[in-house]
Amino acid sequence: MNFMYKEIPDARTWTNIKQIYAGWSSDKKYYIQTNDDREMLLRLADIMQHDRKKLEFESVERLKDTDIRIPRPVDFGICDEGKSVYSLYTWVEGQDAKEAIPKLSCSEQYRLGLKSGEILKAMHEIPVLNRSSSWAERYNLKIDRYIANYSTCGIHFKGAEQVLNYIETHRFLLESRPMTFQHGDYHVGNMVVSSSGELGIIDFNRLDDGDPWEEFNRITWCANESAEFASGRIHGYFHGEVPESFFKLMALYIACNQIASVPWSIPYGESQVNYMLEQVEQVLDWYNGFEISVPSWYLPS
């Protein structure tokens, strides 16, 4: 029994423990199988993250009455002689959606996209807990920070002026936006597809409360894999009746992500920086240099 997690209740019943290296979280993650064939996910974090991890665990519990395939909270506590905090969840079986979806037929890709939109809408039925400031106030501060970080990071991309101009001329869209529960990182990299074709949602470590439409800021990762899936996600969320105002606001959130992604990538090395720069170039192409608000990959029907 590993010393780090031997203090976790029932850890003695674990017969298979396999570390998971995928993802960007600083958590240490493990696949757990018990002697009665239950499967679980163990996340370990530094004790300094205790309050954040407790909030994360309790926030996922807010989804307990939904039928969404997600990791269900099992146990939370402190281990490793007080140096680590653990979160134990049920395991969601399935293949990484980023790998699975491109191999499917276009109709299946679209079906799963519809389902991802319906799931996201269900999550957004959960109201915020407590939030004193308005969404516009919060997000405008975030935009200012993104722009400042980009301006001083030393790496700039062609077309940044167009992105920044779109941001500045569309900040007004943030006014009076509602706030709900947010997954915080909703895209194919945090989804799995079961052997029976069911969609599961994982990795809630960036969950938050905010504008529900901000959750489309990472739909670019979905569109990279499948225009059918990304379009279906929008259709499923709005049940086919997509408001015109949605696309302008989605473009704003995506524009902000492009400005934020470059300085974010720098600590991860040159290859990651180049990957983000390629993504920015792709986004600029989709939006014709942000002269349009509906991306070229979008399939209206």
Side-chain angles (χ1 to χ4, degrees):
M1 176 61 61
N2 188 297
F3 177 78
M4 180 175 287
Y5 45 75
K6 70 176 184 179
E7 302 163 65
I8 299 174
D10 295 328
R12 67 179 67 87
T13 68
W14 300 351
T15 56
N16 186 15
I17 304 168
K18 182 179 180 181
Q19 188 162 2
I20 303 166
Y21 295 98
W24 296 97
S25 171
S26 60
D27 292 358
K28 290 183 178 179
K29 298 182 290 185
Y30 300 87
Y31 165 80
I32 304 293
Q33 191 171 29
T34 68
N35 56 13
D36 58 354
D37 293 326
R38 287 179 296 131
E39 296 175 296
M40 294 184 290
L41 169 69
L42 172 67
R43 302 184 76 111
L44 295 175
D46 188 273
I47 193 63
M48 296 296 290
Q49 297 188 51
H50 178 277
D51 291 350
R52 166 63 191 177
K53 288 298 172 182
K54 186 172 187 290
L55 175 63
E56 179 183 316
F57 188 85
E58 292 173 347
S59 295
V60 175
E61 286 187 316
R62 294 162 67 189
L63 298 169
K64 65 182 180 181
D65 294 328
T66 70
D67 60 358
I68 305 169
R69 293 185 67 241
I70 59 170
R72 302 288 177 177
V74 175
D75 192 21
F76 175 87
I78 296 172
C79 62
D80 191 20
E81 295 189 326
K83 292 181 287 190
S84 300
V85 57
Y86 72 87
S87 306
L88 199 60
Y89 298 90
T90 58
W91 181 261
V92 180
E93 180 271 329
Q95 182 183 6
D96 183 343
K98 185 176 180 180
E99 299 176 2
I101 288 172
K103 300 175 184 177
L104 302 173
S105 67
C106 290
S107 61
E108 272 297 287
Q109 292 175 27
Y110 183 72
R111 182 188 69 81
L112 287 173
L114 283 173
K115 186 62 178 178
S116 74
E118 292 167 358
I119 289 172
L120 187 60
K121 185 66 174 179
M123 287 186 189
H124 291 166
E125 296 300 319
I126 299 175
V128 296
L129 293 176
N130 293 296
R131 188 65 72 180
S132 56
S133 60
S134 71
W135 175 248
E137 182 182 346
R138 282 178 56 198
Y139 201 79
N140 273 307
L141 288 173
K142 186 179 286 189
I143 290 175
D144 293 342
R145 185 170 67 253
Y146 287 164
I147 293 173
N149 290 343
Y150 174 77
S151 299
T152 58
C153 77
I155 299 176
H156 301 118
F157 58 85
K158 184 179 179 182
E161 297 81 4
Q162 295 162 293
V163 178
L164 290 168
N165 180 66
Y166 187 88
I167 293 171
E168 293 301 335
T169 57
H170 289 81
R171 286 190 191 232
F172 71 93
L173 295 173
L174 300 169
E175 296 295 334
S176 303
R177 288 297 304 160
M179 290 193 287
T180 64
F181 175 95
Q182 290 181 328
H183 175 276
D185 197 18
Y186 200 78
H187 59 83
V188 288
N190 289 325
M191 301 176 187
V192 294
V193 180
S194 73
S195 56
S196 61
E198 296 300 312
L199 194 67
I201 311 300
I202 60 174
D203 283 351
F204 283 77
N205 61 296
R206 288 190 175 91
L207 60 78
D208 199 358
D209 289 332
D211 178 4
W213 291 2
E214 190 205 5
E215 295 266 51
F216 289 87
N217 62 353
R218 291 175 172 84
I219 198 172
T220 50
W221 306 116
C222 299
N224 273 338
E225 304 304 326
S226 167
E228 288 80 8
F229 180 90
S231 301
R233 177 178 155 184
I234 294 172
H235 299 162
Y237 187 87
F238 291 105
H239 301 290
E241 300 294 330
V242 187
E244 184 178 348
S245 59
F246 165 75
F247 287 105
K248 292 181 180 179
L249 193 50
M250 181 176 78
L252 173 62
Y253 289 133
I254 288 175
C256 291
N257 256 28
Q258 306 320 299
I259 291 297
S261 67
V262 176
W264 174 87
S265 67
I266 291 173
Y268 297 101
E270 184 179 356
S271 62
Q272 190 61 36
V273 171
N274 290 336
Y275 180 75
M276 287 301 177
L277 290 174
E278 290 173 5
Q279 175 68 24
V280 171
E281 185 177 354
Q282 177 70 79
V283 169
L284 280 162
D285 182 59
W286 283 336
Y287 282 99
N288 191 27
F290 281 90
E291 292 294 324
I292 58 175
S293 58
V294 179
S296 60
W297 52 258
Y298 177 67
L299 306 173
S301 61

